[in-house]
Amino acid sequence: MDWLPDGLGQFDLWVLVSMSAFTSMMTAAVGIGGGVLLLAIMAQILPVQALIPVHGLVQLGSNGNRAYMTRQHIDWKMSRLFILGVVVGAVISVWIVIQLPLDVIRLSVAFFILFLIWGPKPKAVTLSNVKLVIAGGVTTIISAFVGATGPLVAAFVHRQNMDKLPTVATFAACMSFQHMLKAMVFLTVGFAFQDWFFVIVLMIISGAVGTWVGLHLLKSLSADLFKQLFSWVVTALALRLCWQVFF
């Protein structure tokens, strides 16, 4: 198939397309986790130089679809403040070079996530406006050095103690904006997205189908079960970061 990138076979394509649907369904139903799982699968198939930009654009499509399908449930006040922080963080990250070893950063992020999920809860059920902006900025800066933006953002959204649909919708809106910035960065540096056009389009379409199925599964989950699944999946992702350091 001449419209496939060099080295990518038909079997590889259908693995990517089917896994895009499955991981989108997982994220829509549970709230988090699909993006990291998809990244791990894509890492076994795609060349290193294409992995992050292609994954980022596919995730932009997945999160964008989920945000659109749940747009009436998005907490726009929180999202706007968080996105303001994302913009500030993106500007700052251009001028900052963190010298910490990668393993130190991974462990810091993992423990930070675990504290947000399982640590003592503050008396207020929501973060202040300033703290939401800071959260957006901090997660964006960290995302330039550690592939854990999704779990970090999910942990902040979870901290807001919203119901299940607003949690999924607001998380999708925040992540859509972060992935959009990532795509713009790779376009700026000259990544040839056109070589991967058909792969990306098929993965986004299959991801939209998976999102639709996952949202229907979400409606059947009880609020308590959803919160438990959400907490444990984010915890598993944090522990995965620890695993990468020690093994």
Side-chain angles (χ1 to χ4, degrees):
M1 303 175 73
D2 55 5
W3 45 270
L4 288 179
D6 293 337
L8 191 72
Q10 293 186 41
F11 178 76
D12 295 329
L13 173 65
W14 292 115
V15 169
L16 293 172
V17 170
S18 61
M19 288 300 99
S20 178
F22 174 76
T23 55
S24 292
M25 179 184 70
M26 173 184 174
T27 303
V30 180
I32 183 63
V36 174
L37 177 58
L38 183 62
L39 181 63
I41 295 170
M42 292 174 67
Q44 309 303 313
I45 300 175
L46 269 60
V48 175
Q49 66 272 19
L51 177 61
I52 300 302
V54 173
H55 175 266
L57 202 57
V58 171
Q59 286 298 290
L60 172 58
S62 178
N63 283 279
N65 281 323
R66 193 163 63 256
Y68 177 77
M69 291 181 190
T70 59
R71 59 192 181 280
Q72 66 270 31
H73 298 285
I74 295 174
D75 184 335
W76 284 112
K77 179 182 178 181
M78 176 189 172
S79 297
R80 290 189 186 100
L81 291 168
F82 195 91
I83 289 170
L84 174 60
V86 170
V87 174
V88 174
V91 173
I92 293 175
S93 64
V94 174
W95 304 99
I96 294 180
V97 178
I98 294 180
Q99 300 295 337
L100 291 176
L102 180 59
D103 286 347
V104 173
I105 300 174
R106 280 175 171 165
L107 284 176
S108 299
V109 172
F111 289 133
F112 187 49
I113 293 170
L114 292 173
F115 175 78
L116 286 174
I117 296 299
W118 300 108
K121 299 297 187 292
K123 293 181 179 179
V125 295
T126 58
L127 296 175
S128 67
N129 291 350
V130 173
K131 288 181 179 179
L132 282 173
V133 174
I134 292 174
V138 169
T139 56
T140 301
I141 292 172
I142 292 175
S143 71
F145 308 98
V146 181
T149 306
L152 273 175
V153 175
F156 277 112
V157 174
H158 178 272
R159 194 77 168 191
Q160 296 301 98
N161 199 29
M162 294 182 289
D163 291 334
K164 54 186 181 181
L165 274 171
T167 296
V168 170
T170 304
F171 173 69
C174 293
M175 289 306 300
S176 295
F177 195 81
Q178 286 197 338
H179 284 302
M180 181 174 66
L181 284 182
K182 184 189 297 185
M184 292 173 62
V185 168
F186 280 108
L187 278 173
T188 301
V189 300
F191 180 77
F193 277 111
Q194 65 272 14
D195 295 344
W196 294 86
F197 176 78
F198 289 105
V199 176
I200 291 171
V201 169
L202 288 176
M203 291 182 71
I204 289 176
I205 292 174
S206 66
V209 175
T211 294
W212 184 84
V213 174
L215 289 175
H216 280 73
L217 292 175
L218 173 65
K219 294 176 181 178
S220 66
L221 291 176
S222 69
D224 289 340
L225 178 59
F226 170 80
K227 289 180 179 179
Q228 291 179 14
L229 288 173
F230 190 89
S231 296
W232 282 111
V233 170
V234 175
T235 299
L237 296 178
L239 294 176
R240 178 180 176 274
L241 289 175
C242 297
W243 177 272
Q244 290 177 322
V245 173
F246 296 111
F247 299 96

